C-alpha cells in the first residue's frame, strides 16, 4: 500500500499553497462525483487475521472483527484537528478500536494548524497513520494527492462494516457523501461529518420580536433595516476568517441566481466564469450587507469563536456557519437560545429555490501512504464511521455523520433538527462546490477579497477583477493539477 513516489520538497513547500488561513471545509457533498464510485475498483480487502470476540456493547460478526488483517501488537497513531467538534468523539472511536483490537496500542492526539505541525513529518517520511486534516492552516490535500502521499482506501471501502451486518463499509455511508474524496477513480479521503451550511439565528429571539426569517434576499435586506432601526446589529461573521461568508453566503447566492451550472463553471475554471452576470449579481448582493452598515462594528477583528460569542450575547441577529456551531459554542450558549439554521434566501428571478441548501461531508480524514501502519489507519476509520460512533457523534457533538442509521432512536438538538429538516426540504437541491479543495490559491484569493469587500475596501467590480485574474493564473499554471466535475 505504500507509495514509491518520493515527496517533492519544491511542491510540498511551495508558497502559501500548503496553508489555509481560512477554514478547510470541505467541501464535500451529496452531488454525484465526476469520478468512478468510491467502492468500485482497487484491490479487494486482504484476508482477515485471526481475532477473538471483542468486548463491545454491540455484536460484531466474525467476518467483521478484523477484515483488513491488522497485525496484532502493531501500534496505531492518530493525529487530529481539535476544533469545533472537540475530541470526545475521537476518543470514543479510539475506545471502540481498543476494545476490538486489545493487542494494538491506539494513540490519539488533538492539535491545531495541522499543516504547520505535520508537514515536517511528511517530508521526513514518517507521518501518522491516520490524520484529520481540517481547520485553519491545514495540509493542501490536492498537493498531497499529486505527490502520491495518500493511501488508496479501496480495501476499507470493500471491507465488512463494523456494526451493520451484510453491508460493506462503503454501503453504510450516505450515497455521494464521499464523492469529493475520490481522485482519479480512487477513494483517498473520507469525510466524517455531514455538514449543513447556512444562516443561523435564535428562534427565540425572532419569535419575541415578531420577525420571520425571510425567503428572499430583498426580504433579508428589508429585515436588516428593521433590525437596525430597532437598535440591533443584523449581522456578524467570523471576521478574521472571511471564508465563512464565502461558503455561508456567496456560493449559495451564486446558486440561487445561476443554478448549479454557475458553480460548475467556476469549479472547472471556465473562461470568464467569475465575470458572468449571475456571479457579479451575487457578489453585489452580498456587498449590500456592508454598504448598508448591516454588519456589527468590529467584526473584522474577531476570531470565529469571538464573533460567535457576540452573536450568542444578542449583539447580532444573523451568523453564517456550519452545523459544528452548536458543539463549538455549547459552553457559552444561553439557556433557551434555540439556535437554528436556514438556507440563504432566494433571489427573485433566480434559478435556485429558497429550500436549496449547501450541505456536504466535511472534516477530512486520510491515511498517508508512507505511514508505518496503513492498515491500522484504515481500521480506525472503520471504527470511527460505524453506527455506534455516529450515534455518539449525534448525541454528544450535535452533528451528523454520513452513516446510514446514525441518528436512529436518539433525541436531537434544535440546531440539528433544523439542519435535518432543511436537508429534507431541499430534496434534490443540495449543492456543493469544489474549487475550495481543488485550487488552494484561488480559494485564498476569494477568501481574502471577500474580507476586503465586507469592509468596503474594494468594490464588487474590483472583487470580480481580482478573483477572475487569479482563476486565470491557476488555469494557466502547468504545475497545478486540474480537475473536472459534470454535476
Amino acid at each position: 500500500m505504500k507509495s514509491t513516489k518520493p515527496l517533492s520538497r519544491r511542491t510540498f513547500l511551495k508558497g502559501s499553497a500548503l496553508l489555509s488561513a481560512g477554514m478547510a471545509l470541505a467541501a464535500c457533498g451529496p452531488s454525484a462525483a465526476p469520478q468512478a464510485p468510491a467502492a468500485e475498483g482497487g484491490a479487494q480487502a486482504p484476508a482477515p487475521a485471526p481475532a477473538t470476540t471483542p468486548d463491545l456493547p454491540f455484536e460484531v460478526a466474525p467476518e467483521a472483527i478484523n477484515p483488513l488483517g491488522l497485525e496484532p501488537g502493531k501500534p496505531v497513531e492518530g493525529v487530529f484537528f481539535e476544533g469545533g467538534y472537540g475530541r470526545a468523539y475521537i476518543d470514543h472511536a479510539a475506545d471502540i478500536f481498543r476494545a476490538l483490537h486489545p493487542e494494538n496500542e491506539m494513540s490519539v492526539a488533538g492539535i491545531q494548524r495541522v499543516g504547520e505541525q505535520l508537514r515536517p513529518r511528511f517530508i521526513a517520511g514518517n507521518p501518522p497513520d491516520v490524520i484529520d486534516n481540517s481547520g485553519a492552516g491545514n495540509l493542501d490535500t490536492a498537493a498531497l494527492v499529486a505527490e502520491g502521499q495518500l493511501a488508496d482506501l479501496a480495501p476499507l471501502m470493500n471491507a465488512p462494516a463494523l456494526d451493520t451486518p451484510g453491508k460493506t463499509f462503503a454501503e453504510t455511508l450516505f450515497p455521494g457523501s464521499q464523492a469529493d474524496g475520490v481522485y482519479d477513480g480512487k477513494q483517498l479521503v473520507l469525510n466524517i461529518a455531514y455538514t449543513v451550511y447556512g444562516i443561523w439565528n435564535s428562534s427565540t429571539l425572532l419569535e419575541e420580536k415578531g420577525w420571520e426569517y425571510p425567503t428572499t434576499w430583498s426580504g433579508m435586506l428589508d429585515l436588516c433595516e428593521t433590525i437596525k432601526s430597532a437598535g440591533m446589529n443584523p449581522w456578524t461573521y467570523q471576521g478574521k476568517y472571511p471564508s465563512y461568508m464565502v461558503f455561508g453566503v456567496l456560493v449559495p447566492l451564486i446558486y440561487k441566481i445561476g443554478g448549479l451550472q454557475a458553480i460548475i463553471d467556476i469549479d472547472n475554471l471556465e473562461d470568464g466564469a467569475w465575470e458572468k452576470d449571475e456571479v457579479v449579481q451575487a457578489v453585489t448582493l452580498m456587498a449590500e450587507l456592508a454598504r448598508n452598515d448591516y454588519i456589527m462594528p468590529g467584526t473584522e477583528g474577531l476570531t470565529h469563536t469571538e464573533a460567535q460569542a457576540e452573536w450568542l450575547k444578542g449583539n447580532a441577529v444573523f451568523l453564517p456557519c456550519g452545523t459544528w456551531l452548536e458543539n463549538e459554542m455549547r459552553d457559552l450558549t444561553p439557556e433557551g437560545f434555540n439556535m437554528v439554521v436556514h438556507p440563504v434566501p432566494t433571489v427573485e428571478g433566480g434559478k435556485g429555490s429558497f429550500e436549496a441548501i449547501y450541505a456536504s461531508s466535511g472534516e477530512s480524514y486520510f491515511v498517508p501512504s508512507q505511514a508505518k501502519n496503513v492498515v491500522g489507519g484504515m481500521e480506525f476509520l472503520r471504527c470511527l464511521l460505524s453506527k455506534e460512533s455516529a450515534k455518539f457523534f449525534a448525541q454528544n457533538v450535535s452533528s451528523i455523520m454520513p452513516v446510514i442509521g446514525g441518528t436512529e432512536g436518539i433525541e436531537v438538538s434544535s440546531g440539528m433538527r433544523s439542519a435535518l429538516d432543511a436537508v429534507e426540504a431541499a430534496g434534490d437541491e443540495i449543492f456543493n462546490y469544489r474549487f475550495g479543495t481543488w485550487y488552494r490559491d484561488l480559494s485564498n484569493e476569494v477568501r481574502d477579497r471577500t474580507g476586503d469587500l465586507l469592509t468596503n475596501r474594494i468594490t464588487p467590480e474590483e472583487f470580480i477583477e481580482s478573483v477572475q485574474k487569479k482563476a486565470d493564473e491557476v488555469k494557466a499554471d502547468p504545475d497545478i493539477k486540474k480537475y473536472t466535475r459534470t454535476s
Side-chain angles (χ1 to χ4, degrees):
M1 294 182 183
K2 301 240 181 188
S3 168
T4 58
K5 185 175 181 180
L7 179 61
S8 163
R9 291 180 63 91
R10 176 182 178 277
T11 298
F12 199 63
L13 295 174
K14 185 175 76 170
S16 62
L18 296 173
L19 294 176
S20 166
M23 295 298 292
L25 300 168
C28 6
S31 58
Q35 303 94 341
E40 296 179 2
Q44 295 296 313
T52 59
T53 302
D55 182 17
L56 287 165
F58 53 88
E59 291 188 9
V60 180
E63 66 273 14
I65 294 175
N66 190 17
L68 294 171
L70 176 62
E71 180 182 338
K74 192 171 183 180
V76 182
E77 180 192 9
V79 176
F80 312 99
F81 168 68
E82 189 171 340
Y85 294 126
R87 66 168 292 154
Y89 80 96
I90 297 169
D91 291 330
H92 182 71
D95 287 341
I96 295 174
F97 178 96
R98 295 177 187 119
L100 197 62
H101 305 286
E103 297 181 9
N104 297 83
E105 179 185 354
M106 176 78 222
S107 65
V108 294
I111 64 172
Q112 304 287 322
R113 304 198 71 84
V114 175
E116 295 173 12
Q117 298 201 47
L118 295 187
R119 212 172 14 171
R121 293 191 59 178
F122 273 90
I123 293 171
N126 67 337
D129 301 313
V130 58
I131 297 170
D132 173 4
N133 184 42
S134 302
N138 65 321
L139 293 156
D140 186 343
T141 301
L144 291 173
V145 170
E147 292 291 339
Q149 291 297 310
L150 304 188
D152 185 351
L153 301 178
L156 169 62
M157 304 304 285
N158 295 327
L162 178 63
D163 53 1
T164 305
K167 298 290 186 181
T168 66
F169 175 80
E171 289 171 341
T172 65
L173 304 180
F174 289 1
S177 64
Q178 305 304 322
D180 83 332
V182 179
Y183 293 82
D184 296 328
K186 296 180 180 179
Q187 188 80 52
L188 303 180
V189 177
L190 286 181
N191 299 296
I192 67 93
Y194 191 72
T195 304
V196 179
Y197 306 87
I199 300 173
W200 293 74
N201 66 264
S202 163
S203 63
T204 302
L205 175 63
L206 262 63
E207 289 171 6
E208 289 177 351
K209 297 294 185 180
W211 298 331
E212 290 188 9
Y213 184 83
T215 59
T216 65
W217 191 256
S218 62
M220 169 60 76
L221 297 178
D222 289 343
L223 179 55
C224 286
E225 190 62 33
T226 299
I227 294 170
K228 183 179 175 183
S229 298
M232 299 177 67
N233 297 301
W235 278 75
T236 191
Y237 66 93
Q238 298 77 352
K240 290 187 176 181
Y241 307 108
S243 54
Y244 280 77
M245 287 294 283
V246 175
F247 64 71
V249 176
L250 178 58
V251 170
L253 277 175
I254 293 173
Y255 179 92
K256 298 296 170 105
I257 299 169
L260 184 59
Q261 190 60 51
I263 297 176
I264 290 175
D265 290 346
I266 288 172
D267 288 341
N268 290 344
L269 302 175
E270 294 289 339
D271 291 340
W274 286 94
E275 298 171 331
K276 291 185 176 179
D277 290 344
E278 52 264 37
V279 180
V280 174
Q281 185 182 356
V283 173
T284 303
L285 290 177
M286 182 176 69
E288 290 290 326
L289 297 176
R291 287 206 295 263
N292 292 306
D293 295 325
Y294 294 151
I295 298 174
M296 184 183 75
T299 287
E300 180 187 10
L302 301 178
T303 66
H304 58 300
T305 52
E306 288 170 345
Q308 291 159 193
E310 291 298 314
W311 173 70
L312 288 171
K313 294 174 185 176
N315 292 330
V317 176
F318 298 118
L319 174 88
C321 204
T323 41
W324 62 80
L325 177 64
E326 270 193 301
N327 189 65
E328 188 168 55
M329 305 306 293
R330 185 186 299 272
D331 293 341
L332 295 179
T333 303
E335 185 176 353
F337 188 85
N338 292 329
M339 65 175 74
V340 294
V341 64
H342 301 277
V344 170
T346 193
V347 177
E348 294 88 338
K351 296 180 180 179
S353 72
F354 166 71
E355 290 78 13
I357 198 163
Y358 170 31
S360 67
S361 297
E363 204 77 5
S364 300
Y365 279 65
F366 52 66
V367 175
S369 57
Q370 294 187 79
K372 293 180 181 178
N373 195 346
V374 170
V375 170
M378 291 188 191
E379 180 64 359
F380 176 81
L381 290 176
R382 197 171 71 99
C383 296
L384 179 62
L385 284 164
S386 64
K387 189 183 295 185
E388 168 68 20
S389 177
K391 289 183 177 181
F392 181 92
F393 196 68
Q395 287 179 307
N396 295 275
V397 187
S398 298
S399 291
I400 310 162
M401 279 188 173
V403 177
I404 296 171
T407 60
E408 289 178 356
I410 62 172
E411 184 176 346
V412 298
S413 63
S414 62
M416 190 173 179
R417 172 47 55 197
S418 69
L420 292 168
D421 290 346
V423 168
E424 183 178 353
D428 293 335
E429 277 198 282
I430 298 173
F431 60 89
N432 68 354
Y433 68 103
R434 307 284 176 81
F435 72 84
T437 302
W438 287 349
Y439 308 115
R440 184 61 57 88
D441 289 350
L442 176 58
S443 178
N444 289 348
E445 183 70 17
V446 175
R447 176 200 68 209
D448 294 344
R449 299 295 76 76
T450 295
D452 290 339
L453 185 71
L454 294 175
T455 51
N456 292 314
R457 289 194 291 265
I458 63 172
T459 65
E461 292 76 19
E462 289 170 326
F463 176 99
I464 294 297
E465 180 181 2
S466 181
V467 172
Q468 184 62 64
K469 179 180 178 182
K470 181 60 66 175
D472 293 340
E473 291 174 359
V474 170
K475 184 174 183 177
D477 189 339
D479 291 333
I480 298 177
K481 183 176 176 60
K482 309 303 188 299
Y483 300 95
T484 302
R485 65 179 291 190
T486 58
S487 60

